[in-house]
Each structure stands twice: as structure tokens, then as C-alpha cells.
């Protein structure tokens, strides 16, 4: 599987880190995970037309993970896009349809896409609610961040697996959900000694990866407080495997052993 980090930052504006977004480029049509502000511009910079996106998975409703949904739907309404647009789906946690209705209440017809083009789904957790998307299997798991936050586990036909947690606090159950994954992509928001509930420090992220037996750990969602510290040294207290500090436009290849 081929992935690209479009945004490795947070809701705090940064000159070199966009808000959260990840794209799976090896799907038949690109699949997005989260759409923080500026995601469409990031897609344009790497040559992925927004009208080619086949599905968007949202982890939770905070603006730094969802703000470009408005831009995405508004751009889709452009007549030159609508003429050739293939159907696409938006997927999110419980309450997602109400969330989208709220956006429509604010923006009205400016973001209303014809029903034959757009489907919206609320992703349930548990193996019985696994989705198959372009040959990839997608599972969801509730994370301790907001009442509606999800992590996603994506497995290819060849058996390679990545887990994208979105924002999360520490959870041994999340580590079990990520068990044996080839790549764990998670947050490291704040440094040791400055913990914030519902978020991870680098050592907590490393502990989840170690408990999961993840082959590779990619850290994202860096607030300024943690960027001023030695993130690698903190993570190495708990995780000894392959470690990558995420950055915008980083390409990731996920392979099974």
C-alpha cells in the first residue's frame, strides 16, 4: 500500500505543517482519511485532483480534521466538475449525518451535492461491520478522544495493514486493535510532563506501538510544545522498532513481512 501524509500538524497554523489528512494512493481511486483545512490545496500540490477522490473517512468532528469538507463539497458543485464526477462516499463516526446536516444548514445549496453522486455513511465498530473498499478491508475502533472518535485499520488484498488512529488518548484496547499491523500512524501531540487528556505523548504512542507489536510507527499531529523537544528520545523509552517522524508530503510504503 502506498500512502502520503498531506498534513502532519494540528489546528495551530504552521508554515510547514498542514492540518491532518492522509491519502491512500494505491486504491483504484484515492481514499482520504480526514480533511483538515487546506487539504484540497495539498492534494493539488501533489497532483491528485480532488474530483478523483472516491471515499473520505473522518476520524472525528474537530475542525482541524473536517474543515475542508466544506471546500470539498463546494468545489464539487462546480459545473465543470459535476459533469464528469463519479459517485463518492463520505464515512464518519456515529452522528456524522447530523454533522453534515449542520454544515448544510449553514451553507445551504452551496455545498449540496446531487444524491446520485454522494452517499454518506456512519461507520460502526467491530469486525461484523467491516467495509470492503476497492479491495481493501476497513475496520473501525472507538478511541478515547471525543465520544465519536474512531481509528481505522486498513488491510490490502496482499495482507499488508496500517492503522490510522486520528487523535487519541492512551488505550491498551487500541493497542489490541492495532495488533500485528505493519504500520501504526498515530499522534504525538504533547511532550512528557505536559500531558493533555485525549492526546498522546511520544512515549505513550511508543507504548501503544510496542503493545501492538507494530513493525513501523509513524508519528503525526505535533503541537508546537512537542516540536520543541526531542520527540525521538521520548518515544524510544517505550518503542524500539522502526520510527518515523511524519512530515507533509511524506510517502509511506506499507508491506506485509
Amino acid at each position: 500500500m502506498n500512502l502520503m501524509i498531506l498534513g502532519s500538524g494540528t489546528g495551530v497554523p504552521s508554515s510547514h505543517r498542514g492540518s491532518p489528512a492522509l491519502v491512500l494512493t494505491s486504491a483504484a481511486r484515492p481514499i482520504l482519511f480526514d480533511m483538515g483545512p487546506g487539504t484540497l490545496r495539498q492534494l493539488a500540490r501533489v497532483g491528485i485532483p480532488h474530483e478523483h477522490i472516491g471515499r473520505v473517512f473522518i476520524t472525528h468532528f474537530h475542525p482541524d480534521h473536517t474543515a475542508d469538507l466544506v471546500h470539498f463539497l463546494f468545489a464539487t458543485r462546480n459545473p465543470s466538475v459535476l459533469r464528469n464526477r463519479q459517485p463518492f462516499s463520505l464515512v464518519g463516526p456515529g452522528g456524522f449525518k447530523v454533522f453534515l446536516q449542520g454544515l448544510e444548514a449553514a451553507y445551504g445549496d452551496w455545498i449540496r451535492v446531487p444524491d446520485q453522486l454522494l452517499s454518506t455513511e456512519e461507520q460502526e465498530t467491530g469486525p461484523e461491520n467491516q467495509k470492503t473498499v476497492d479491495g481493501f478491508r476497513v475496520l473501525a475502533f472507538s478511541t478515547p478522544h471525543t465520544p465519536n472518535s474512531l481509528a481505522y485499520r486498513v488491510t490490502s488484498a496482499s495482507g499488508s495493514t496500517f492503522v490510522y488512529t486520528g487523535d487519541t488518548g492512551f488505550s491498551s484496547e487500541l493497542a489490541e486493535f492495532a495488533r500485528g499491523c505493519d504500520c501504526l500512524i498515530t499522534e504525538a501531540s504533547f511532550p512528557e510532563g505536559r500531558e493533555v487528556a485525549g492526546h498522546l505523548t511520544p512515549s505513550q504512542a511508543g507504548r501503544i506501538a510496542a503493545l501492538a507489536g507494530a513493525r513501523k510507527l509513524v508519528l503525526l499531529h505535533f503541537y508546537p510544545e512537542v516540536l520543541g523537544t526531542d520527540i525521538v528520545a521520548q518515544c524510544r523509552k517505550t518503542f524500539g522498532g522502526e520510527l518515523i517522524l511524519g512530515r507533509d508530503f511524506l510517502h509511506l510504503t506499507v508491506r506485509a513481512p
Side-chain angles (χ1 to χ4, degrees):
M1 287 189 285
N2 297 312
L3 301 162
M4 185 188 301
I5 297 168
L6 297 173
S8 59
T10 65
V12 176
S14 167
S15 62
H16 58 285
R17 291 187 185 273
S19 291
L22 177 74
V23 61
L24 175 60
T25 58
S26 51
R29 292 194 292 162
I31 298 172
L32 272 177
F33 294 85
D34 284 337
M35 288 195 76
T39 296
L40 264 64
R41 184 173 184 271
Q42 299 288 75
L43 285 169
R45 290 182 67 184
V46 298
I48 299 176
H50 68 85
E51 60 266 34
H52 289 182
I53 297 298
R55 195 170 296 239
V56 180
F57 288 91
I58 296 296
T59 60
H60 64 290
F61 305 143
H62 283 163
D64 60 328
H65 292 253
T66 60
D68 244 28
L69 277 171
V70 171
H71 188 186
F72 182 51
L73 295 172
F74 182 58
T76 300
R77 280 183 48 84
N78 185 290
S80 64
V81 174
L82 278 178
R83 278 195 296 270
N84 302 302
R85 188 59 162 106
Q86 295 183 30
F88 64 100
S89 299
L90 303 179
V91 183
F96 187 49
K97 293 182 179 181
V98 172
F99 175 79
L100 292 174
Q101 288 168 4
L103 294 181
E104 281 199 3
Y107 291 97
D109 287 343
W110 296 112
I111 64 167
R112 194 166 290 124
V113 174
D115 290 342
Q116 64 268 27
L117 285 183
L118 172 62
S119 64
T120 59
E121 306 171 46
E122 294 186 353
Q123 176 71 55
E124 300 291 336
T125 59
E128 68 278 9
N129 294 303
Q130 175 178 274
K131 291 185 183 299
T132 300
V133 181
D134 292 337
F136 297 91
R137 302 192 307 277
V138 182
L139 285 169
F141 182 82
S142 296
T143 62
H145 181 62
T146 70
N148 304 93
S149 295
L150 294 178
Y152 294 103
R153 181 181 180 116
V154 182
T155 304
S156 71
S158 65
S160 57
T161 302
F162 75 88
V163 173
Y164 172 58
T165 70
D167 292 3
T168 184
F170 180 82
S171 166
S172 56
E173 292 81 10
L174 176 59
E176 187 58 36
F177 176 73
R179 171 74 59 188
C181 67
D182 299 298
C183 182
L184 173 62
I185 304 168
T186 193
E187 64 139 277
S189 292
F190 295 98
E192 311 303 318
R194 300 184 67 179
E195 292 85 351
V196 172
H199 288 290
L200 296 175
T201 65
S203 68
Q204 289 172 330
R207 187 178 171 206
I208 289 175
L211 289 172
R215 296 178 59 233
K216 179 189 300 184
L217 173 60
V218 180
L219 298 180
L220 303 171
H221 204 261
F222 304 120
Y223 276 94
E225 293 91 332
V226 77
L227 286 171
T229 66
D230 190 337
I231 297 171
V232 171
Q234 294 173 63
C235 189
R236 284 299 183 210
K237 294 177 182 178
T238 54
F239 181 70
E242 183 178 354
L243 174 61
I244 297 173
L245 299 188
R247 63 182 187 277
D248 289 14
F249 308 121
L250 176 67
H251 291 258
L252 298 168
T253 300
V254 180
R255 294 189 180 93

